[in-house]
Amino acid sequence: MISSIIVCAIYVSAQLLSNIASLQIVSFAGLSFDAGTFIYPITFTLRDLAHKVLGLKGVRVLIITAVVINLFMAVFFWFVSIVPPDRSAGSSELWGKVLAPVWRITIASILSQLVSELTDTEVYRLWVDKITKRFQWMRVLVSNSISVPLDSLCFSFMAFYGTMPIQSVWGIFWANVIIKMIVTVASLPFIYFVKEKNNG
């Protein structure tokens, strides 16, 4: 029970942080990508952990809940950004300019998460049910190897296609895939942090 709460809390927190950071495009190690890429990849492994403690139905509910919370966060940030700041208290429009959602990027990020996380869940389930329950690291690697490129493809083109040269969009895609797969490999040991539960 405690492990379930911890996994779900970290999963949703990582989703929120990655969506906030995705508003900033950064240059790192010669690659250009949204800053959310630094943290978002761990949500795939966290989702695999959630699958172990919640089962298929539970993890689907978790994914949908995270999407709803992310949408609420975006709308709330937008609302706060349009409310006049109290300058006598030292406030300014800077907060709104920084955190007000760029709707195309925000929606692209949330939809990409929904599609890729649900796909990852199904691949994970099929691997466990049809292939083997052994080699837990392998189920994470296989499911992420499908969901990471899918997520990166959906996000890159939904967020940036038509606003920049196609080569740049592909550059963002490949940068996302590379960084996310590096984080995926680094996070593989975490799959052993919780015990498998027999639930559907």
Side-chain angles (χ1 to χ4, degrees):
M1 180 64 178
I2 294 177
S3 60
S4 301
I5 295 172
I6 293 173
V7 168
C8 291
I10 298 175
Y11 173 83
V12 174
S13 298
Q15 288 261 357
L16 292 172
L17 289 171
S18 66
N19 275 329
I20 294 171
S22 69
L23 297 174
Q24 177 81 337
I25 304 300
V26 298
S27 178
F28 180 79
L31 301 172
S32 180
F33 52 90
D34 65 285
T37 304
F38 285 120
I39 192 170
Y40 178 63
I42 67 171
T43 64
F44 289 111
T45 301
L46 287 167
R47 193 219 47 77
D48 292 338
L49 285 171
H51 200 136
K52 290 178 67 176
V53 298
L54 299 176
L56 179 60
K57 293 180 181 178
V59 81
R60 284 173 176 166
V61 171
L62 175 63
I63 292 169
I64 300 300
T65 300
V67 166
V68 172
I69 292 173
N70 273 294
L71 283 172
F72 175 79
M73 177 187 69
V75 172
F76 180 67
F77 280 179
W78 168 80
F79 170 74
V80 175
S81 72
I82 65 172
V83 175
D86 184 353
R87 290 186 174 82
S88 65
S91 299
S92 71
E93 289 87 358
L94 183 60
W95 190 96
K97 291 179 180 178
V98 172
L99 288 177
V102 178
W103 284 110
R104 180 170 176 175
I105 294 177
T106 299
I107 296 302
S109 179
I110 293 173
L111 288 178
S112 299
Q113 289 173 0
L114 177 63
V115 171
S116 61
E117 294 279 354
L118 289 175
T119 300
D120 190 284
T121 296
E122 293 306 314
V123 174
Y124 182 98
R125 178 186 64 83
L126 288 172
W127 182 271
V128 172
D129 292 348
K130 304 297 184 181
I131 299 179
T132 180
K133 292 184 178 180
R134 301 175 60 198
F135 311 116
Q136 294 184 40
W137 62 271
M138 180 63 76
R139 67 176 81 160
V140 175
L141 193 59
V142 169
S143 63
N144 287 18
S145 294
I146 294 173
S147 55
V148 162
L150 177 62
D151 174 79
S152 301
L153 184 67
C154 291
F155 174 75
S156 299
F157 278 82
M158 284 193 290
F160 304 112
Y161 183 74
T163 66
M164 58 177 63
I166 190 66
Q167 296 91 341
S168 299
V169 178
W170 279 114
I172 291 174
F173 164 77
W174 285 113
N176 270 263
V177 170
I178 291 169
I179 298 296
K180 288 173 183 176
M181 288 310 298
I182 290 173
V183 175
T184 288
V185 173
S187 66
L188 284 177
F190 292 123
I191 193 64
Y192 297 98
F193 278 24
V194 298
K195 293 182 179 180
E196 193 108 40
K197 291 187 178 180
N198 294 319
N199 44 21

